Each structure stands twice: as structure tokens, then as C-alpha cells.
Amino acid sequence: MNTASDIYGERHMGPSSKASSAGASTKRTHMSPPPKRARKKSKKDPSAPKHPMSAFLYYLTSERPRLADQLGDMSIGQQTKIIAKYWKALDENDRAPWEKLAKHDKDRYARERREYQGETRRSVNTLN
């Protein structure tokens, strides 16, 4: 019977090559896991409501154009980091306008989602 060391040579067997060729189990511990398969993305319904924006995103969209000349030719990621520092430095009173916008958007999303789910349930019931 051919052992792995006979086929591949002892250098492929690892540190315990002599013990494994003497009849011990030849368990391979250095194997990499099988490659993961990519998940298929589910198709998004274009008529589904858009998710609400956070208060920070409202702040970001209002401040980025205003600070554009100060931020210069930085990347979007670098600009966002700087604006995030400004956001963290704001107190509750200064954040209030953007929190209010975010709350209204969250309410809008909840309302549109209820309507959307009602429509999809009705369309499923009419198919049956």
C-alpha cells in the first residue's frame, strides 16, 4: 500500500510525517476551508418605499456643500470623517433640526411601508 509520503515525499507530510507513515491516522489539519459561495441577491422591488435617512445623513448633506471649499480635494470618506467629528461635537439643541427631519422621514417610511405591505398582500390574495 502506498502511503502519502511515498506519493508526495516526506516534505509534504508536515512535522509528524514519520509517525503518520508508521500507521497512525493521516488527518490533515492544515487544509483550508472550501471556498464560500456568493449569495444571490434578492431582487428589490422598485416600488418599495425608500428607507429613512438618519439625522446625521441630513446633517452631512447640508454641511458637505457648505464646507466644500475648506475640505478641498479630499476624498468623500475623509470629508465624512471630518464632518462626523463636527456632528459629535454638537449638543442636543444644535442637533434638533436634523433630528426633527429624521423623525419626519421615519414616520413617512412607516406610513409608506404600511401602504406598500397592504398593496402586496392584496395583490397576493387576488392571485389565489
Side-chain angles (χ1 to χ4, degrees), residues 26-88:
T26 56
K27 191 182 238 183
R28 292 180 65 189
T29 58
H30 62 278
M31 288 181 55
S32 60
K36 293 183 179 181
R37 293 184 185 169
R39 290 186 183 184
K40 290 184 180 178
K41 279 192 171 183
S42 59
K43 300 278 183 181
K44 185 175 179 183
D45 186 359
S47 64
K50 304 293 182 206
H51 282 274
M53 284 176 47
S54 67
F56 172 70
L57 286 177
Y58 278 111
Y59 178 76
L60 183 67
T61 56
S62 69
E63 293 299 302
R64 183 176 280 141
R66 190 176 68 78
L67 297 173
D69 57 338
Q70 294 175 2
L71 299 175
D73 58 346
M74 291 183 187
S75 70
I76 297 295
Q78 291 171 328
Q79 291 177 8
T80 303
K81 284 182 183 180
I82 292 171
I83 295 173
K85 288 179 183 176
Y86 293 151
W87 172 255
K88 289 178 185 177

Side-chain angles (χ1 to χ4, degrees), residues 87-96:
W87 172 255
K88 289 178 185 177
L90 294 177
D91 63 354
E92 288 184 27
N93 293 333
D94 293 335
R95 288 185 183 192

Side-chain angles (χ1 to χ4, degrees), residues 91-110:
D91 63 354
E92 288 184 27
N93 293 333
D94 293 335
R95 288 185 183 192
W98 292 283
E99 296 286 352
K100 185 177 179 181
L101 286 172
K103 184 181 180 328
H104 287 303
D105 200 27
K106 188 175 180 181
D107 295 340
R108 180 238 4 126
Y109 175 71

